[in-house]
Amino acid sequence: MRQSEIRVAFLPELAGDVSNCVCIVIDALRATTVITTLFERGCPCVYVAPSHPLAESFARANGYVLCGETNGVKAEGFDYGNSPTEFSRLDFTERPVVLSTSNGTKATAAVANAKRTYLGSALNRTAVAQAAWEAANAEEADVVIVCSGTNGTFTLEDATVAGLYVEALVAMGTAWTMPSLSDSAVAARRLWQSEPNLLRGWMEGRHAQHLGDIGFGEDIGFSATIDNSGTVPTLVTEETKTSVDCPTILVA
Ligand code: MLT
C-alpha cells in the first residue's frame, strides 16, 4: 500500500496541484464552523460562493437563504451574517443556504478540483479527519489541509486547527498505513502542541481579537469546541440548473 503524505498549506495559494489529493479546508473563525453548524441545524445543503454578487444573484434567483460577511459583519442586503452562535439558535430544515465570506468560501472554491474536499473545523475534527483518512487510503492519495488565512496572510487559528487535524490523522495510521508528514504538517502540529487550548491560543491572533472587538466574542469560544459534531461537510461540484453560475455545492 502506498504511504500517504499529509501536508498543510498555510494559505490556499500554497496548496499546489491538488487534483490527486484529498483536501480538508479550514476556516476556523468562522466559515467552516458556520457550515458545520448549519448542517447541525438541519440545513439540506450550503452553496459556497466565491463572491458576494454571485451569492446574491444565485440566492435570490432560487429563493435560498443568503448568508455572509464583510470584515466580520453581515454583508449589506444579506439575510444573515457569518455567526455560528446565531445559526446554532436557528432552524434550517428545508432551507438551503448560499454562503459567501471573505476567505473560507474562496479557499473552498480554490481546491474544488481535488479528488475529495471536506470542510473541517474544531467542532467536527475527528469525523472529518476519519472521512479524509479513509478517502486517502481508498484513493491512494495525499491529504492536504488547506488553511483559508485572512486576506492572503497567515492566520493563527487555521494553523492551530490544521495541527489538531495532523494529530488526528497520525493517530489513525497503523503500522501499514502510517502517513509521512511534510515540514508544514510538522510545523502545524508543533504549533498546536505549544498551546493545546485553542481559545487561549487564538486570542493572541488578530482575527480573534477583531471578532471580539466587533461583538462576536461568543463565536470564538463556540468555534474552539473540539469534537461535538459528527457532521462531515463534503464538496460536490455540479452543473447548476439556473443561468447564474455558482460552482460549488456542499452536502452533509
Ligand atoms: C472568512 O471567510 O474570512 C471568515 O469566515 C470571516 C469571519 O470571521 O466571518
Side-chain angles (χ1 to χ4, degrees):
M1 179 179 270
R2 180 185 172 278
Q3 186 185 32
S4 296
E5 184 180 61
I6 299 171
R7 299 192 284 280
V8 172
F10 288 112
L11 288 171
E13 48 270 44
L14 299 176
D17 178 7
V18 294
S19 55
N20 284 316
C21 300
V22 171
C23 286
I24 302 171
V25 177
I26 293 174
D27 185 356
L29 291 176
R30 296 167 291 176
T32 55
T33 304
V34 157
I35 290 165
T36 306
T37 306
L38 286 169
F39 286 126
E40 287 287 335
R41 302 302 301 154
C43 187
C45 69
V46 180
Y47 292 81
V48 177
S51 75
H52 285 4
L54 199 53
E56 186 160 20
S57 49
F58 185 73
R60 297 308 180 217
N62 290 283
Y64 297 156
V65 185
L66 177 61
C67 305
E69 54 70 46
T70 303
N71 293 326
V73 298
K74 180 165 86 73
E76 205 181 325
F78 280 32
D79 303 319
Y80 296 100
N82 191 40
S83 166
T85 52
E86 181 179 18
F87 292 138
S88 74
R89 295 188 274 264
L90 299 172
D91 183 5
F92 282 90
T93 308
E94 294 178 16
R95 299 171 77 198
V97 163
V98 182
L99 180 69
S100 176
T101 70
S102 306
N103 302 282
T105 58
K106 293 182 177 66
T108 305
V111 294
N113 68 328
K115 272 184 185 291
R116 299 275 183 87
T117 302
Y118 300 101
L119 283 278
S121 62
L123 271 54
N124 57 358
R125 183 275 306 251
T126 297
V128 168
Q130 183 77 47
W133 181 242
E134 284 168 12
N137 282 321
E139 304 270 6
E140 302 206 332
D142 294 335
V143 178
V144 183
I145 303 168
V146 182
C147 300
S148 298
T150 302
N151 304 328
T153 61
F154 175 94
T155 293
L156 197 54
E157 64 274 7
D158 292 344
T160 51
V161 173
L164 194 64
Y165 272 82
V166 172
E167 179 76 7
L169 289 161
V170 167
M172 283 164 198
T174 65
W176 308 110
T177 62
M178 192 53 76
S180 68
L181 302 185
S182 71
D183 283 13
S184 59
V186 173
R189 190 184 190 198
R190 286 187 184 269
L191 182 67
W192 167 70
Q193 286 168 338
S194 74
E195 178 49 276
N197 181 317
L198 293 180
L199 182 57
R200 217 159 37 213
W202 292 359
M203 290 316 298
E204 292 184 62
R206 293 264 169 89
H207 189 53
Q209 290 166 7
H210 170 67
L211 288 174
D213 288 347
I214 62 173
F216 290 111
E218 204 189 348
D219 282 350
I220 307 168
F222 183 96
S223 304
T225 309
I226 299 171
D227 279 345
N228 69 350
S229 168
T231 295
V232 181
T234 307
L235 189 69
V236 179
T237 52
E238 245 187 32
E239 290 288 321
T240 60
K241 295 179 181 54
T242 70
S243 58
V244 182
D245 180 33
C246 190
T248 57
I249 301 176
L250 286 177
V251 290

